Amino acid sequence: YRWAVDRYAESTEIVESDEGDVRVRAQFLPPVAERVGLVIVTAPDSFVLHPEVLKSAGAQMAQVLLAHHGLA
């Protein structure tokens, strides 16, 4: 799912990678929580390690998208 991070981040750096996982450090332009949320929604096995405040960004973005499409 590295492409999802590349799509929404201003810059990315691969910190660690093996055959099944990748750890990416990314810099996002504002609105940061919304962009991080889009990454998590787009790449559903992804998650935030740091900062804590962004760990719920995926769930928040999912709620926004569900409401936008009249499904929430």
Side-chain angles (χ1 to χ4, degrees), residues 8 28 30-39 54 57 60-61 64:
Y8 297 107
F28 293 87
V32 174
E34 287 84 352
R35 292 177 193 270
V36 171
L38 287 168
V39 170
L54 294 176
Q60 292 171 354
M61 180 53 65
V64 168

Side-chain angles (χ1 to χ4, degrees), residues 6-49:
D6 287 335
R7 170 86 169 93
Y8 297 107
E10 181 67 15
S11 66
T12 60
E13 173 190 352
I14 304 302
V15 175
E16 189 178 325
S17 183
D18 63 24
E19 59 188 57
D21 294 317
V22 64
R23 186 173 172 189
V24 179
R25 180 176 295 121
Q27 297 294 320
F28 293 87
L29 292 175
V32 174
E34 287 84 352
R35 292 177 193 270
V36 171
L38 287 168
V39 170
I40 295 170
V41 169
T42 303
D45 290 334
S46 62
F47 54 92
V48 173
L49 294 172

